[in-house]
Amino acid sequence: MSYCVNCGVELDPTASSCPLCQTPVVNPRQPVDTELPPPFPSRRAEVQPVNKLELALLLTAMLGSVAVVCGLLNLFFLHADRPWSLYVIGAAGMLWIWLVPPLLFRSMPLWVRLGLDACAVGVYVYLISIDLHGLRWYLGLALPIILTGGAIVVLLGFILSRGRSILTSVTLIIGAIGLFVMSIELYVDRWLHQDYAPGWSLVVGAVCVALIIPLVIVRRRPALRDEVRRRFHM
């Protein structure tokens, strides 16, 4: 076994120079073996990047095929009396919106992506309501919850895309969760009882406030904030 005379690294029998410091290998007792394959590639190469347009077309074709096949089966063969294929078609459309536009448009702002995602969820739930004959509960309960959640997520994405510290981002996310949970109970109570009697959402909201208060205190005290940043980066 040979070792580099300059840096002491162990050398492979096929090495004509040190792979670490490039010092030529001279060992009369063990000449360089030119017949064995080297332990590492001798030529540098790079992996070709994936063609995003081809990948987007592949995803579109796959999701579209699933939607068309299920639609035809539902229309002509299986349970044509109820539109069960809307579940599959809606899921395929929702996945397409979630995957393809961000793949093709990398510069798309975060809040725009989140807005499209919320719209996709709204359309999917609407298709479910068609099968369940539930347009009334969709308009009175599901749609307000989706619109409120979408608005909160879009606003949160817009604020965070402006560049915020970790403490500020965590504080905003916790606050958004508490606000959304309380809005859910509001819509459910108004739909079921035509009244608003907050209960379980107050518990979640109180927990969110309890989590936010220490974050606000740390954010307003530079010494604590710097210590948190230092420990986080470590």
Side-chain angles (χ1 to χ4, degrees):
M1 188 64 66
S2 299
Y3 296 88
C4 178
V5 296
N6 182 44
C7 63
V9 68
E10 183 178 335
L11 300 173
D12 187 79
T14 61
S16 59
S17 63
C18 176
L20 187 62
C21 64
Q22 305 303 319
T23 301
V25 176
V26 180
N27 187 353
R29 296 183 178 180
Q30 184 178 342
V32 177
D33 193 338
T34 57
E35 296 182 358
L36 289 177
F40 47 83
S42 58
R43 183 173 59 88
R44 182 177 180 181
E46 294 182 358
V47 178
Q48 292 296 327
V50 178
N51 190 310
K52 296 177 182 178
L53 180 58
E54 292 181 359
L55 182 58
L57 291 175
L58 177 61
L59 290 173
T60 302
M62 292 172 61
L63 295 174
S65 299
V66 171
V68 171
V69 169
C70 289
L72 293 176
L73 286 174
N74 187 190
L75 187 62
F76 296 107
F77 298 103
L78 301 176
H79 303 289
D81 56 330
R82 64 182 294 252
W84 58 264
S85 62
L86 292 179
Y87 292 90
V88 181
I89 295 173
M94 185 168 59
L95 287 175
W96 187 90
I97 293 177
W98 286 358
L99 298 175
V100 175
L103 183 65
L104 294 177
F105 307 102
R106 301 290 292 180
S107 59
M108 181 186 298
L110 176 61
W111 64 273
V112 175
R113 284 193 232 170
L114 295 174
L116 290 175
D117 295 343
C119 292
V121 173
V123 173
Y124 183 50
V125 177
Y126 171 71
L127 295 177
I128 294 175
S129 70
I130 293 177
D131 178 50
L132 300 177
H133 305 287
L135 187 60
R136 183 169 172 268
W137 64 257
Y138 175 77
L139 295 176
L141 180 61
L143 185 60
I145 293 177
I146 294 173
L147 291 177
T148 301
I152 292 175
V153 169
V154 169
L155 180 60
L156 184 63
F158 178 77
I159 295 174
L160 296 181
S161 64
R162 297 287 180 172
R164 302 290 176 177
S165 65
I166 295 176
L167 288 176
T168 302
S169 301
V170 174
T171 302
L172 291 174
I173 292 173
I174 294 175
I177 293 174
L179 180 62
F180 180 59
V181 169
M182 296 188 70
S183 68
I184 290 177
E185 187 173 28
L186 169 64
Y187 291 129
V188 171
D189 283 354
R190 294 294 298 270
W191 171 256
L192 295 178
H193 312 294
Q194 290 74 48
D195 194 12
Y196 177 49
W200 60 270
S201 65
L202 282 180
V203 178
V204 178
V207 172
C208 292
V209 172
L211 293 174
I212 288 175
I213 291 176
L215 295 175
V216 173
I217 294 174
V218 170
R219 185 173 178 273
R220 291 184 175 276
R221 298 191 60 179
L224 288 175
R225 184 177 65 234
D226 294 341
E227 178 66 18
V228 170
R229 288 178 178 174
R230 185 182 67 82
R231 291 185 178 275
F232 179 81
H233 288 294
M234 288 178 60

